[in-house]
Amino acid sequence: MEFSIKSGSPEKQRSACVVVGVFEPRKLTLPGELIDNASRNHLSDIIRRGDMEGKSGTTLLLHNVPGTLCDRVLLVGLGKEKEFREKEFCQAVRIAVKTLNETGSFDGTIFLTEVPVRKRDVAWRVRQASIIAQETIYRFDQFKSKKDEVRRPLRKLTFAVERRNELTPAEEALTQGLAIAEGMALAKNLGNRPGNICTPTHLAETAMQIAKDHQLECEVLERADMEALGMGSLLSVAKGSHQPPKLIVLHHKGGGAGDKPVVLVGKGITFDSGGISLKPGAEMDEMKFDMCGAASVLGTMKAVAQMKLPLNVTMVVPASENMPGGAASKPGDIVTSMSGQTIEILNTDAEGRLVLCDALTYSERFQPETVIDVATLTGACVVALGQVASGLFANKDSLARDLVDAGEEANDRAWQMPLWDDYQDLLKSNFADMANIGGRYAGVITAACFLSRFTKKYDWAHLDIAGTAWKSGGEKGATGRPVPLLTHFLLQRAGKLH
Ligand code: BES
Ligand code: MN
Ligand code: ZN
């Protein structure tokens, strides 16, 4: 779909459909009033007759409104003006785009981006609106022989801004929004693909394609390379599978040659059966999503490259299946990580931390400014935070704060949890330097504590996205999170948010 920004009067738009908001009860927004004046009270007459109360979630499509140059006017209910916040704004845009797409308009001009949202500027509104528009039309039908096609799909969307001096910031925000949306779509596609297609090799090929498309540097380490580096922990997870593991590295070199990179590490378990500590059968299909950390850092790299951010960003993805083959790790096995620390594998289903710890040690060689790992790491995180916020841990408070702020700004929230030493005791092993599980309590924290033992040499944050990376049930599918959070964090670092 094509996008653009415009400032101008709604009644003068030659568009298949012009979208304006109505507050509850029966109060037109400014662009609505302009159309009302041009049409000699056509809109206010309709509203007075009770066809549109302005309730959030409602729409009314009007044809041939007098005094306008467009074919249609779509009224969208915004709810009460006093209660109009981010959530209501996003919902209004979503329903507007959905309606445009389903009612035959090839193009639309959306004036909802002119409606003030408390504390949010025009750039925020345009960025969010463009992301929501792309999300609304996203379909994953790669494996459906019959695609249910929209007969006259929306091809072009224009977001209106009130003043001419808002055009430049809005256009910049649109470019950012589209890059984020593309990164999210990549993350969703990878997440939604089944385990037999989306293998470690598939993730590596995807990285190589991104590198080719955007002139990034890509390197893929094979099993033999990992053996030479002493990645005994990562390799122990791959042993039970026929799929070869990969360690995938991408470099975006947008900063100065001497600038230290931000390193993004993503868990890439392309299917998590649990291994010998086999998972129960119910919903095990959802463990194809166990590479959503990898998918989100790949999506973020794509967005960063597309925006040509003036920063150095490196991605490291340890990719493997976790399967119960004859050579698989057994409970009680002891492995030596690349850091030299030994690990007693008490549960083969706690495999994410086993692949991540070696990727985190490997990341030291890039002399990172910051390392952020992203992982569908624990069911305990879903119990604690549900599907609203990602779990956040950091060994530096200002980094945690920056990530919380980025999530808030991006509508992709994270919530900080403690990394106190008191929890480290739970990882004690009688036979090795540590165990890979910490018992029944505080599972989301003990997983982070495990990782913290491999991140002493740099500033580090960990995002547990087990609850946020995908949805279950009727709308089962990857969400593309936390691409918006990560990209906002990097935009902030690059000084591209005002
Ligand atoms: N990939 C899972 C975590 C997970 C489970 C994410 C359910 C989303 C939904 C991870 O590898 C895992 O199995 N973790 C175990 C750890 C336990 C054995 C300490 C878990 O959370 O049960
Ligand atoms: Mn597991
Ligand atoms: Zn897992």
Side-chain angles (χ1 to χ4, degrees), residues 267 269 271-274 279 287 290-291 322 348-353 376-378:
K267 171 179 172 182
I269 297 295
F271 189 77
D272 181 11
S273 69
K279 284 184 182 295
M287 282 300 121
D290 210 17
M291 36 51 72
N322 184 23
T348 65
D349 198 9
E351 85 298 339
R353 59 199 81 181
T376 49
L377 203 60
T378 66

Side-chain angles (χ1 to χ4, degrees), residues 22 142-143 156 476:
V22 181
Q142 195 187 338
F143 299 99
K156 186 168 188 306
K476 194 189 288 183

